[in-house]
Amino acid sequence: MISLRLALVSAGVCLLAAAPPATILRVDAREQPAPPETGWLKMGTSTAPDGRTLTVNSRYLTRDSAPWLPVMGEFHFARVPRASWEEELAKMKAAGVDIVSTYVFWNFTEKTPGRFDWSGDLDLRAFVTLCGRLGLDVFVRPGPWVHSEDRFGGLPDWVVHAMPTRESDPEFLHYVARWYDQVGAQLKGLLWKDGGPVIGVQLANEYAARGPERGDQYILDLKRLALAAGLDVPLYTVTGWDNAVVPPHEVIPVEGGYADEPWGLKTTENPPSEVYALRFQSRVRGTFDAARPAPLSDADRLAAHVPFFGAEFGGGVPTMYRRRPILRPADVAAMLPVQLGSGANLYGYYMFHGGRITPPRDVGMQEATAIGGYNDLPMIDYDFQAPLGAYGQQHPVMGALRPLHFFLNAFGSRLAPMAVHQPEVISKGQEDLVTPRWSVRTLGTSGFLFFDNHVRQYAMAVQRNVRFAVELPGGTLTFPSEPVTIPTDAYFIWPIGMDLSGARLAWATAQPVTEIEAGRVPVYVFMAQDGIPAELAFDQVGVARVTASSGRVVRVDGRYLVRGVTPGAGATVDVRLRSGKTVRVIVLTAAEGAELTLPRLEGARRLMLTSAQAFTDGDTLTLLSTGQPDIHLAVYPPLAHPAADLSLTEGKPDGVFQVFDAHAAPRTLSVTVTPLRGAQPVPPLVLGAPQHTAHEPTPEVFGRSAAWTLTVHGSVDDREDAFLRIYARGDVARLFSGVTMLDDQFLNGSVWEIGLKNAAGALSAPLTLTILPLRKDAPIYLDQGVEAMVQGRDQLAAVDSVTVVPQFRLDIAAGPAR
């Protein structure tokens, strides 16, 4: 054999090494779900005056009798200026959000007993009315205790000081009844049963107390008071984690999870988070070891009767004093395949839009250890690293989330009835970063495969030479045609047996995103994953031919196999059915998928690729570009008569996309930074409850902060914002106009971004920036570490850079075709 091999090599014959054997990941998906149970849950009125219905069964929501799997995003109207509500809600809708959930803060509204302030930024009725006008449903969360990193969890001081709380104490319930009556009056005529947008009420938050006047009795009393206040809605919920109380029949538990725990006690990295482990055995926490199931909570014991709903999957995390993590987009986006693959049938974010306490009205309303809170929060900032920041700015995570939201918008009705199937092999433990984390959900022979190879701050193993074997009622589907390697940090949803308007897609190694129509041709948009070849396989039945703009089409085992697709704006696959109908597939790159939005222009939904922030408000499509006056966009199908307030220049098409460029007028903004005073030595941090952890320094210590004067040159108006970007090192940063604090942040190594539009009136005089020094022995958590922040000094308060970045705006007429 050796002499033969040498002879062949010397003769110029190439010997190919045998390909390594494929790793087959197997799952048995033959079992079909039983019909969902109805009637077990006692919810409110589910029929609107026009006959529309919104109901819930044991597995999913139905809207007008069709399964519905919505995206819900938390937005606190009291933490966002009223003048910004409409634009910010329009941004949420453009991101694929269906339902706006919102806390209603009792302590903001009734600071003095019996005096309720529903004006200005606290106008619940105006906010809900606006949501309805924009086509957004509303889930109201009036507490009475909401947490939300709010002072006393949202309970007014005068309540906390005078009576027992969060139990069925008669005096407490008297004031809760009065509070609910006020909320009910605000929402009169705006509930689903009235034809309004309010579809649900959350009755309590993180409630696990049991005993006399507690437990089920307290939750049932809250529901009774809500109904007495007129809050008759299709859905009633409570949070289900932390062994929460969930009275059977009366409420639906909602779950959550976060990529990190700023409320934690560690000053080092946390272990791998459970939010990246599929929840096969519990809806409350990820399943790591099937042989050792976790104790069941109330929510788990009711799982056969109630659907898996999420209300607090972290769209980011807050920055708290003792822990200040910085999230990457994948830290948040990778949670969706995990939770959807675990059976979640409502994906709710906390938060989707950041906010801030309104100074000076509500300064001091944050949670703080000084008043018995578990955490210390900034006095004003509540950006939360959410997809939309405190000033409405689009954070990078938005591009990672939008394609997943569009998937649920387009195909959630197919996914909702599908059952979860656990693979043969699951993760062996929290530290297991080798075993693949995946599942499938199916109904009949159709379904979706969910895969996550990302864990925050830990590298999952590369999964090499992988194929999947899904055992379906009609046989086993093994795919893709050739093994693929799944990189570290990849996460995706792939289709199985997916109907594309009559063409059956047996599988694809690309993620379905949405569907539109171009003329009379149905167009399905997919997104490739970086490092994984895109392959599509169509069953031959009913198909006349398949053509592709890239790669090659081969017929194998009764299927048209499209291999070697080069993703991009021109990557089309056209399927001609024997009926004469054509179905088109477009396979975008991951980068293009992150720029995809779905505006309605000239009477039709279109695909638009742009790095600008895009949303529709009335008859206008708005694009916001921060720092870049040149705005680029690509549209499919093409526009016939584009109209814009800036001159649009049409360029060379990019594949099937029509391309435009616009250039905004320059805006001259700058900032001068002048040292005002140096920092003084600060004392060691005080340690205390919980468990001897660091507390935010007392107010007197802040007088030792270093200070700088910031003079902003140029004007900011209500139409186009500008952002003050501060890169500073230290402990706590605060920005003042005179003695009025405008914003603050616990510094964590990221750039602090402050919108100036809402503070335009304060720019006529210099601002003051203060930074409290960070000591090298501070027992707090930073991703980069405290020592790296202070760079060997005993303490540090430094400003590395301050810039002003203008925002540019392009408005395009979004009206019907001419």
Side-chain angles (χ1 to χ4, degrees), residues 464-486:
R464 302 186 187 279
N465 302 307
V466 168
R467 299 181 77 201
F468 297 92
V470 181
E471 198 169 356
L472 297 165
T476 299
L477 180 70
T478 303
F479 67 97
S481 63
E482 298 291 339
V484 296
T485 292
I486 301 174

Side-chain angles (χ1 to χ4, degrees), residues 231-256:
L231 296 172
D232 176 7
V233 291
L235 302 169
Y236 296 97
T237 64
V238 295
T239 55
W241 56 85
D242 289 343
N243 198 31
V245 173
V246 186
H249 301 287
E250 301 295 336
V251 290
I252 303 168
V254 290
E255 308 302 341

Side-chain angles (χ1 to χ4, degrees), residues 3-15:
S3 60
L4 175 60
R5 182 182 300 270
L6 291 174
L8 289 171
V9 171
S10 64
V13 179
C14 179
L15 291 176

Side-chain angles (χ1 to χ4, degrees), residues 342-423:
S342 301
N345 271 340
L346 163 64
Y347 201 92
Y349 288 95
Y350 189 96
M351 299 286 295
F352 195 83
H353 195 301
R356 52 197 291 275
I357 286 174
T358 302
R361 184 193 68 196
D362 297 320
V363 171
M365 297 298 282
Q366 82 282 7
E367 181 180 6
T369 55
I371 56 171
Y374 194 80
N375 307 295
D376 285 306
L377 273 293
M379 295 182 72
I380 293 175
D381 175 70
Y382 200 66
D383 180 86
F384 217 87
Q385 303 179 52
L388 293 170
Y391 297 93
Q393 69 273 45
Q394 181 172 284
H395 287 159
V397 68
M398 181 69 87
L401 295 177
R402 260 194 318 253
L404 293 158
H405 299 169
F406 294 159
F407 164 77
L408 293 177
N409 297 158
F411 309 116
S413 60
R414 304 190 196 189
L415 176 61
M418 292 180 174
V420 175
H421 301 283
Q422 176 180 311

Side-chain angles (χ1 to χ4, degrees), residues 196-214:
V198 179
I199 64 171
V201 171
Q202 182 178 302
L203 294 169
N205 194 71
E206 297 168 352
Y207 186 76
R210 289 168 172 83
E213 297 189 335
R214 299 179 177 181

